[in-house]
Amino acid sequence: MFEFRFYSVTPGRMASELALVHDMGFAGAPEEPGGPPAHAESLWDRYGVHRPLGSWAVLSGRQAPGFLYIIRWNSMKERDERFPRFWTDPFWRARRAELTDGQPLVDSIETWLLEPSTAWRKAGADPVPGPVGGVHELRIQNVLNGSQAEAGDSLGSVDLPALRELGARLLGLFEVTIGPERPRFVTLLAWPDLASQQRAWFEMDRHPAVRARREAERQRHGRNLFGSPDAYLLGPISWNLPQANLGVTP
């Protein structure tokens, strides 16, 4: 199970929001009163909150400025036990109060629970290991209710192979299990640069396999299978660059 957390950051407060997440999730935690000396674990490590598979700042999109990250959990039970223990920690409360300085850091938070789509397996893993930089893209697509299997097949066998031909790397593809406006797919792509991303989407509109698949879907359903995407350009955060395939096996 993957948890997608999207923070709509108050304008002008991104530096403080990034500092707070870095201090909690990645920096060494302070010594606990009466406990062992401080060491390299983060505060999240102390409470068993898994480190995010990647963190990003929103460069453009409907909810910019924003910040998001993805955590992998073994179960809902694990998630529900560990996050609440962290939120009661006095260092978390003190550091948050220091950085907010009486002003909000975020205007709203959206939390979705995701499961890997079978289309991710169909499209195949990225064969190049290691951290993935460049410009990343988040695409959220609603699909016709009851057509998830067909939509996944379209993405896995047609759209994603075409995008790879045009220079994209697939970081992950998920279906939303708990979140707004289901059914929907969430796709994370990586591009070498912004020019490559823009050129690829121009070419996708003319790609013969993609055009043929969209026409077949319209003939079958009398409408487009996919709604217009909610798309975001993302800047991966240097201290939490995602690994290829988000470091997991699709």
Side-chain angles (χ1 to χ4, degrees):
M1 181 186 80
F2 295 78
E3 181 175 3
F4 167 99
R5 296 181 66 84
F6 193 116
Y7 295 76
S8 181
V9 179
T10 303
R13 304 311 307 274
M14 181 64 79
S16 295
E17 173 64 16
L18 292 178
L20 182 61
V21 174
H22 178 267
D23 288 355
M24 297 304 104
F26 299 90
E31 181 179 347
E32 292 182 279
H39 50 83
E41 75 170 3
S42 74
L43 199 62
W44 280 357
D45 294 332
R46 178 177 293 169
Y47 293 102
V49 177
H50 299 293
R51 294 195 179 201
L53 302 176
S55 299
W56 298 266
V58 177
L59 304 178
S60 69
R62 180 173 53 86
Q63 296 194 53
F67 171 74
L68 62 95
Y69 58 87
I70 293 178
I71 292 178
R72 187 181 190 184
W73 297 101
N74 294 315
S75 66
M76 179 70 83
K77 181 176 184 291
E78 180 186 59
R79 188 256 182 209
D80 290 346
E81 286 177 348
R82 297 185 182 187
F83 251 147
R85 292 203 300 264
F86 154 70
W87 287 323
T88 64
D89 187 273
F91 176 67
W92 152 251
R93 293 177 178 272
R95 185 63 172 141
R96 184 174 183 274
E98 176 187 354
L99 286 169
T100 57
D101 193 27
Q103 301 294 323
L105 295 183
V106 298
D107 295 329
S108 63
I109 303 171
E110 289 188 26
T111 300
W112 302 355
L113 297 181
L114 314 173
E115 290 292 342
S117 170
T118 56
W120 189 0
R121 292 193 294 273
K122 183 183 288 290
D126 187 333
V128 181
V132 182
V135 174
H136 295 184
E137 182 177 8
L138 172 71
R139 295 178 68 82
I140 303 165
Q141 290 177 282
N142 286 16
V143 299
L144 181 65
N145 192 30
S147 68
Q148 294 95 309
E150 183 181 351
D153 180 71
S154 290
L155 289 172
S157 61
V158 178
D159 294 60
L160 292 173
L163 285 166
R164 279 176 165 156
E165 289 174 16
L166 296 169
R169 296 180 66 180
L170 175 62
L171 291 171
L173 175 60
F174 306 89
E175 292 185 50
V176 178
T177 55
I178 298 178
E181 300 183 38
R182 298 171 56 223
R184 58 178 20 176
F185 285 81
V186 175
T187 308
L188 270 169
L189 302 169
W191 301 94
D193 48 48
L194 182 58
S196 299
Q197 186 263 355
Q198 293 177 330
R199 182 169 57 251
W201 284 112
F202 178 79
E203 294 297 331
M204 277 289 284
D205 289 338
R206 305 187 298 178
H207 194 286
V210 175
R211 288 173 62 92
R213 188 61 175 246
R214 294 294 94 83
E215 179 58 28
E217 292 164 358
R218 285 190 292 270
Q219 290 291 330
R220 186 177 301 112
H221 299 286
R223 50 157 285 181
N224 288 333
L225 190 60
F226 295 94
S228 297
D230 193 8
Y232 299 84
L233 288 178
L234 309 175
I237 303 300
S238 60
W239 38 260
N240 191 209
L241 284 176
Q243 297 290 313
N245 307 300
L246 296 178
V248 303
T249 302

